[in-house]
mmCIF file of all heavy atoms in Angstrom:
data_model
loop_
_atom_site.group_PDB
_atom_site.id
_atom_site.type_symbol
_atom_site.label_atom_id
_atom_site.label_comp_id
_atom_site.label_asym_id
_atom_site.label_seq_id
_atom_site.Cartn_x
_atom_site.Cartn_y
_atom_site.Cartn_z
ATOM 1 N N GLU K 1 110.310 97.947 123.916
ATOM 2 C CA GLU K 1 109.653 98.203 122.636
ATOM 3 C C GLU K 1 108.676 99.367 122.759
ATOM 4 O O GLU K 1 108.125 99.622 123.838
ATOM 5 C CB GLU K 1 108.876 96.965 122.146
ATOM 6 C CG GLU K 1 109.710 95.727 121.923
ATOM 7 C CD GLU K 1 109.545 94.711 123.016
ATOM 8 O OE1 GLU K 1 109.241 95.110 124.156
ATOM 9 O OE2 GLU K 1 109.709 93.499 122.754
ATOM 10 N N SER K 2 108.442 100.023 121.656
ATOM 11 C CA SER K 2 107.443 101.080 121.575
ATOM 12 C C SER K 2 106.945 101.177 120.146
ATOM 13 O O SER K 2 107.550 100.615 119.227
ATOM 14 C CB SER K 2 108.021 102.412 122.042
ATOM 15 O OG SER K 2 109.115 102.795 121.228
ATOM 16 N N GLY K 3 105.842 101.897 119.981
ATOM 17 C CA GLY K 3 105.335 102.161 118.639
ATOM 18 C C GLY K 3 104.131 101.342 118.230
ATOM 19 O O GLY K 3 103.572 101.560 117.149
ATOM 20 N N GLY K 4 103.724 100.409 119.060
ATOM 21 C CA GLY K 4 102.531 99.635 118.740
ATOM 22 C C GLY K 4 101.276 100.476 118.885
ATOM 23 O O GLY K 4 101.327 101.621 119.336
ATOM 24 N N GLY K 5 100.159 99.893 118.498
ATOM 25 C CA GLY K 5 98.899 100.615 118.632
ATOM 26 C C GLY K 5 97.837 100.039 117.734
ATOM 27 O O GLY K 5 97.984 98.950 117.176
ATOM 28 N N LEU K 6 96.755 100.796 117.601
ATOM 29 C CA LEU K 6 95.622 100.414 116.766
ATOM 30 C C LEU K 6 95.695 101.194 115.455
ATOM 31 O O LEU K 6 95.832 102.425 115.473
ATOM 32 C CB LEU K 6 94.318 100.727 117.496
ATOM 33 C CG LEU K 6 93.015 100.530 116.720
ATOM 34 C CD1 LEU K 6 92.837 99.054 116.353
ATOM 35 C CD2 LEU K 6 91.840 101.039 117.528
ATOM 36 N N VAL K 7 95.598 100.476 114.360
ATOM 37 C CA VAL K 7 95.673 101.113 113.047
ATOM 38 C C VAL K 7 94.692 100.426 112.112
ATOM 39 O O VAL K 7 94.397 99.245 112.275
ATOM 40 C CB VAL K 7 97.119 101.050 112.492
ATOM 41 C CG1 VAL K 7 97.551 99.603 112.268
ATOM 42 C CG2 VAL K 7 97.280 101.866 111.242
ATOM 43 N N GLN K 8 94.189 101.165 111.154
ATOM 44 C CA GLN K 8 93.281 100.579 110.168
ATOM 45 C C GLN K 8 94.065 99.801 109.119
ATOM 46 O O GLN K 8 95.241 100.098 108.858
ATOM 47 C CB GLN K 8 92.457 101.670 109.495
ATOM 48 C CG GLN K 8 91.405 102.297 110.389
ATOM 49 C CD GLN K 8 90.471 103.214 109.630
ATOM 50 O OE1 GLN K 8 90.845 103.796 108.622
ATOM 51 N NE2 GLN K 8 89.251 103.328 110.115
ATOM 52 N N ALA K 9 93.416 98.841 108.538
ATOM 53 C CA ALA K 9 94.032 98.073 107.459
ATOM 54 C C ALA K 9 94.521 99.028 106.372
ATOM 55 O O ALA K 9 93.832 99.990 106.016
ATOM 56 C CB ALA K 9 93.038 97.079 106.888
ATOM 57 N N GLY K 10 95.725 98.753 105.884
ATOM 58 C CA GLY K 10 96.334 99.615 104.895
ATOM 59 C C GLY K 10 97.238 100.679 105.491
ATOM 60 O O GLY K 10 97.988 101.340 104.768
ATOM 61 N N GLY K 11 97.187 100.829 106.794
ATOM 62 C CA GLY K 11 97.995 101.833 107.469
ATOM 63 C C GLY K 11 99.410 101.356 107.750
ATOM 64 O O GLY K 11 99.820 100.260 107.331
ATOM 65 N N SER K 12 100.142 102.200 108.459
ATOM 66 C CA SER K 12 101.547 101.912 108.747
ATOM 67 C C SER K 12 101.845 102.130 110.219
ATOM 68 O O SER K 12 101.176 102.917 110.895
ATOM 69 C CB SER K 12 102.450 102.840 107.923
ATOM 70 O OG SER K 12 102.287 102.636 106.544
ATOM 71 N N LEU K 13 102.861 101.430 110.687
ATOM 72 C CA LEU K 13 103.383 101.626 112.036
ATOM 73 C C LEU K 13 104.889 101.443 112.000
ATOM 74 O O LEU K 13 105.408 100.691 111.165
ATOM 75 C CB LEU K 13 102.794 100.610 113.019
ATOM 76 C CG LEU K 13 101.387 100.822 113.562
ATOM 77 C CD1 LEU K 13 100.982 99.632 114.423
ATOM 78 C CD2 LEU K 13 101.289 102.106 114.360
ATOM 79 N N ARG K 14 105.557 102.114 112.897
ATOM 80 C CA ARG K 14 106.998 101.920 113.059
ATOM 81 C C ARG K 14 107.264 101.514 114.496
ATOM 82 O O ARG K 14 107.013 102.279 115.426
ATOM 83 C CB ARG K 14 107.772 103.196 112.736
ATOM 84 C CG ARG K 14 109.299 103.012 112.765
ATOM 85 C CD ARG K 14 109.989 104.293 112.392
ATOM 86 N NE ARG K 14 111.417 104.136 112.174
ATOM 87 C CZ ARG K 14 112.348 104.763 112.887
ATOM 88 N NH1 ARG K 14 111.993 105.578 113.870
ATOM 89 N NH2 ARG K 14 113.635 104.577 112.615
ATOM 90 N N LEU K 15 107.751 100.296 114.661
ATOM 91 C CA LEU K 15 108.103 99.803 115.977
ATOM 92 C C LEU K 15 109.564 100.109 116.266
ATOM 93 O O LEU K 15 110.411 100.039 115.377
ATOM 94 C CB LEU K 15 107.867 98.297 116.068
ATOM 95 C CG LEU K 15 106.477 97.788 115.713
ATOM 96 C CD1 LEU K 15 106.398 96.288 115.927
ATOM 97 C CD2 LEU K 15 105.401 98.517 116.496
ATOM 98 N N SER K 16 109.824 100.426 117.520
ATOM 99 C CA SER K 16 111.193 100.698 117.958
ATOM 100 C C SER K 16 111.519 99.822 119.151
ATOM 101 O O SER K 16 110.644 99.478 119.955
ATOM 102 C CB SER K 16 111.345 102.159 118.357
ATOM 103 O OG SER K 16 111.066 103.020 117.276
ATOM 104 N N CYS K 17 112.771 99.471 119.256
ATOM 105 C CA CYS K 17 113.242 98.693 120.401
ATOM 106 C C CYS K 17 114.585 99.270 120.825
ATOM 107 O O CYS K 17 115.524 99.327 120.020
ATOM 108 C CB CYS K 17 113.385 97.229 120.036
ATOM 109 S SG CYS K 17 114.159 96.207 121.323
ATOM 110 N N ALA K 18 114.656 99.683 122.072
ATOM 111 C CA ALA K 18 115.888 100.247 122.612
ATOM 112 C C ALA K 18 116.473 99.289 123.639
ATOM 113 O O ALA K 18 115.770 98.848 124.554
ATOM 114 C CB ALA K 18 115.606 101.596 123.246
ATOM 115 N N ALA K 19 117.738 98.992 123.480
ATOM 116 C CA ALA K 19 118.420 98.079 124.393
ATOM 117 C C ALA K 19 119.307 98.845 125.357
ATOM 118 O O ALA K 19 119.819 99.922 125.041
ATOM 119 C CB ALA K 19 119.263 97.080 123.606
ATOM 120 N N SER K 20 119.493 98.287 126.524
ATOM 121 C CA SER K 20 120.441 98.825 127.491
ATOM 122 C C SER K 20 121.150 97.670 128.175
ATOM 123 O O SER K 20 120.644 96.548 128.214
ATOM 124 C CB SER K 20 119.738 99.709 128.518
ATOM 125 O OG SER K 20 118.770 98.966 129.231
ATOM 126 N N GLY K 21 122.348 97.962 128.667
ATOM 127 C CA GLY K 21 123.104 96.935 129.380
ATOM 128 C C GLY K 21 123.803 95.942 128.488
ATOM 129 O O GLY K 21 124.267 94.895 128.957
ATOM 130 N N ILE K 22 123.918 96.263 127.193
ATOM 131 C CA ILE K 22 124.523 95.324 126.253
ATOM 132 C C ILE K 22 125.054 96.092 125.052
ATOM 133 O O ILE K 22 124.480 97.117 124.685
ATOM 134 C CB ILE K 22 123.490 94.260 125.814
ATOM 135 C CG1 ILE K 22 124.147 93.127 125.031
ATOM 136 C CG2 ILE K 22 122.354 94.893 125.022
ATOM 137 C CD1 ILE K 22 123.223 91.930 124.795
ATOM 138 N N ILE K 23 126.143 95.614 124.495
ATOM 139 C CA ILE K 23 126.669 96.178 123.248
ATOM 140 C C ILE K 23 126.117 95.343 122.100
ATOM 141 O O ILE K 23 126.268 94.120 122.083
ATOM 142 C CB ILE K 23 128.211 96.159 123.249
ATOM 143 C CG1 ILE K 23 128.740 97.042 124.377
ATOM 144 C CG2 ILE K 23 128.759 96.620 121.901
ATOM 145 C CD1 ILE K 23 130.239 96.966 124.576
ATOM 146 N N VAL K 24 125.460 95.987 121.144
ATOM 147 C CA VAL K 24 124.687 95.233 120.159
ATOM 148 C C VAL K 24 125.374 95.067 118.809
ATOM 149 O O VAL K 24 124.890 94.298 117.970
ATOM 150 C CB VAL K 24 123.302 95.885 119.936
ATOM 151 C CG1 VAL K 24 122.554 95.990 121.260
ATOM 152 C CG2 VAL K 24 123.435 97.250 119.265
ATOM 153 N N ARG K 25 126.492 95.772 118.563
ATOM 154 C CA ARG K 25 126.985 95.854 117.187
ATOM 155 C C ARG K 25 127.374 94.501 116.598
ATOM 156 O O ARG K 25 127.374 94.341 115.376
ATOM 157 C CB ARG K 25 128.146 96.826 117.084
ATOM 158 C CG ARG K 25 129.397 96.421 117.817
ATOM 159 C CD ARG K 25 130.508 97.428 117.568
ATOM 160 N NE ARG K 25 131.742 97.044 118.227
ATOM 161 C CZ ARG K 25 132.048 97.358 119.469
ATOM 162 N NH1 ARG K 25 131.195 98.079 120.179
ATOM 163 N NH2 ARG K 25 133.193 96.978 119.995
ATOM 164 N N THR K 26 127.702 93.511 117.423
ATOM 165 C CA THR K 26 128.089 92.201 116.888
ATOM 166 C C THR K 26 126.957 91.186 116.947
ATOM 167 O O THR K 26 127.153 90.018 116.587
ATOM 168 C CB THR K 26 129.290 91.630 117.660
ATOM 169 O OG1 THR K 26 128.897 91.431 119.021
ATOM 170 C CG2 THR K 26 130.486 92.559 117.585
ATOM 171 N N LEU K 27 125.789 91.621 117.359
ATOM 172 C CA LEU K 27 124.684 90.705 117.611
ATOM 173 C C LEU K 27 123.596 90.827 116.547
ATOM 174 O O LEU K 27 123.478 91.847 115.880
ATOM 175 C CB LEU K 27 124.087 90.982 118.989
ATOM 176 C CG LEU K 27 125.066 90.916 120.161
ATOM 177 C CD1 LEU K 27 124.364 91.286 121.454
ATOM 178 C CD2 LEU K 27 125.707 89.544 120.258
ATOM 179 N N THR K 28 122.806 89.782 116.432
ATOM 180 C CA THR K 28 121.629 89.795 115.557
ATOM 181 C C THR K 28 120.436 90.332 116.331
ATOM 182 O O THR K 28 120.221 89.962 117.486
ATOM 183 C CB THR K 28 121.335 88.384 115.033
ATOM 184 O OG1 THR K 28 122.414 87.956 114.194
ATOM 185 C CG2 THR K 28 120.049 88.359 114.227
ATOM 186 N N MET K 29 119.700 91.208 115.689
ATOM 187 C CA MET K 29 118.519 91.804 116.296
ATOM 188 C C MET K 29 117.310 91.441 115.449
ATOM 189 O O MET K 29 117.430 91.327 114.211
ATOM 190 C CB MET K 29 118.677 93.323 116.391
ATOM 191 C CG MET K 29 119.981 93.738 117.061
ATOM 192 S SD MET K 29 120.231 95.521 117.101
ATOM 193 C CE MET K 29 119.185 95.964 118.490
ATOM 194 N N GLY K 30 116.181 91.269 116.102
ATOM 195 C CA GLY K 30 115.026 90.851 115.319
ATOM 196 C C GLY K 30 113.715 91.176 115.981
ATOM 197 O O GLY K 30 113.659 91.635 117.129
ATOM 198 N N TRP K 31 112.665 90.964 115.203
ATOM 199 C CA TRP K 31 111.297 91.136 115.665
ATOM 200 C C TRP K 31 110.538 89.830 115.469
ATOM 201 O O TRP K 31 110.628 89.216 114.394
ATOM 202 C CB TRP K 31 110.604 92.254 114.891
ATOM 203 C CG TRP K 31 111.100 93.610 115.233
ATOM 204 C CD1 TRP K 31 112.070 94.325 114.596
ATOM 205 C CD2 TRP K 31 110.638 94.433 116.320
ATOM 206 N NE1 TRP K 31 112.253 95.529 115.216
ATOM 207 C CE2 TRP K 31 111.382 95.633 116.272
ATOM 208 C CE3 TRP K 31 109.667 94.288 117.310
ATOM 209 C CZ2 TRP K 31 111.201 96.672 117.181
ATOM 210 C CZ3 TRP K 31 109.492 95.310 118.207
ATOM 211 C CH2 TRP K 31 110.241 96.478 118.144
ATOM 212 N N TYR K 32 109.816 89.442 116.495
ATOM 213 C CA TYR K 32 108.929 88.292 116.445
ATOM 214 C C TYR K 32 107.523 88.772 116.777
ATOM 215 O O TYR K 32 107.336 89.868 117.314
ATOM 216 C CB TYR K 32 109.365 87.233 117.466
ATOM 217 C CG TYR K 32 110.610 86.483 117.095
ATOM 218 C CD1 TYR K 32 111.848 87.107 117.125
ATOM 219 C CD2 TYR K 32 110.567 85.150 116.717
ATOM 220 C CE1 TYR K 32 113.008 86.426 116.785
ATOM 221 C CE2 TYR K 32 111.719 84.448 116.379
ATOM 222 C CZ TYR K 32 112.934 85.091 116.424
ATOM 223 O OH TYR K 32 114.079 84.405 116.079
ATOM 224 N N ARG K 33 106.553 87.927 116.490
ATOM 225 C CA ARG K 33 105.184 88.265 116.877
ATOM 226 C C ARG K 33 104.445 87.003 117.296
ATOM 227 O O ARG K 33 104.775 85.901 116.870
ATOM 228 C CB ARG K 33 104.447 88.968 115.740
ATOM 229 C CG ARG K 33 104.167 88.098 114.519
ATOM 230 C CD ARG K 33 103.555 88.959 113.416
ATOM 231 N NE ARG K 33 103.246 88.154 112.225
ATOM 232 C CZ ARG K 33 102.829 88.681 111.074
ATOM 233 N NH1 ARG K 33 102.666 90.004 110.954
ATOM 234 N NH2 ARG K 33 102.553 87.888 110.046
ATOM 235 N N GLN K 34 103.456 87.236 118.131
ATOM 236 C CA GLN K 34 102.631 86.125 118.600
ATOM 237 C C GLN K 34 101.181 86.578 118.633
ATOM 238 O O GLN K 34 100.831 87.504 119.374
ATOM 239 C CB GLN K 34 103.075 85.649 119.977
ATOM 240 C CG GLN K 34 102.374 84.386 120.432
ATOM 241 C CD GLN K 34 103.034 83.741 121.626
ATOM 242 O OE1 GLN K 34 103.798 84.366 122.363
ATOM 243 N NE2 GLN K 34 102.765 82.458 121.841
ATOM 244 N N ALA K 35 100.380 85.931 117.818
ATOM 245 C CA ALA K 35 98.943 86.186 117.793
ATOM 246 C C ALA K 35 98.258 85.239 118.768
ATOM 247 O O ALA K 35 98.803 84.172 119.094
ATOM 248 C CB ALA K 35 98.412 85.987 116.384
ATOM 249 N N PRO K 36 97.067 85.590 119.228
ATOM 250 C CA PRO K 36 96.350 84.730 120.172
ATOM 251 C C PRO K 36 96.175 83.311 119.625
ATOM 252 O O PRO K 36 95.741 83.123 118.486
ATOM 253 C CB PRO K 36 95.007 85.432 120.338
ATOM 254 C CG PRO K 36 95.295 86.855 120.052
ATOM 255 C CD PRO K 36 96.346 86.848 118.980
ATOM 256 N N GLY K 37 96.544 82.327 120.424
ATOM 257 C CA GLY K 37 96.381 80.940 120.024
ATOM 258 C C GLY K 37 97.406 80.425 119.051
ATOM 259 O O GLY K 37 97.302 79.287 118.573
ATOM 260 N N LYS K 38 98.408 81.245 118.737
ATOM 261 C CA LYS K 38 99.429 80.838 117.775
ATOM 262 C C LYS K 38 100.808 80.879 118.415
ATOM 263 O O LYS K 38 101.024 81.514 119.434
ATOM 264 C CB LYS K 38 99.383 81.733 116.536
ATOM 265 C CG LYS K 38 98.102 81.618 115.739
ATOM 266 C CD LYS K 38 98.198 82.365 114.420
ATOM 267 C CE LYS K 38 96.957 82.169 113.581
ATOM 268 N NZ LYS K 38 97.053 82.871 112.275
ATOM 269 N N GLN K 39 101.746 80.200 117.773
ATOM 270 C CA GLN K 39 103.128 80.219 118.246
ATOM 271 C C GLN K 39 103.804 81.520 117.864
ATOM 272 O O GLN K 39 103.436 82.179 116.880
ATOM 273 C CB GLN K 39 103.890 79.036 117.643
ATOM 274 C CG GLN K 39 103.479 77.685 118.203
ATOM 275 C CD GLN K 39 104.395 76.570 117.750
ATOM 276 O OE1 GLN K 39 105.010 76.656 116.685
ATOM 277 N NE2 GLN K 39 104.508 75.535 118.560
#
């Protein structure tokens, strides 16, 4: 993954994820997040 960082409220970010060692066209891809103390 790349593209994370510090941004002010109201701003924008674009996260990227590059895979290797796998063919992805038939697979589901997704983003998850985990905040401190949360699932």
Side-chain angles (χ1 to χ4, degrees):
E1 300 104 332
S2 61
L6 174 64
V7 63
Q8 289 189 332
S12 298
L13 282 175
R14 185 178 190 241
L15 305 183
S16 300
C17 173
S20 60
I22 190 169
I23 297 173
V24 303
R25 66 177 182 273
T26 63
L27 304 177
T28 295
M29 308 177 80
W31 289 94
Y32 287 71
R33 67 186 181 187
Q34 188 166 19
K38 295 189 176 181
Q39 289 189 333

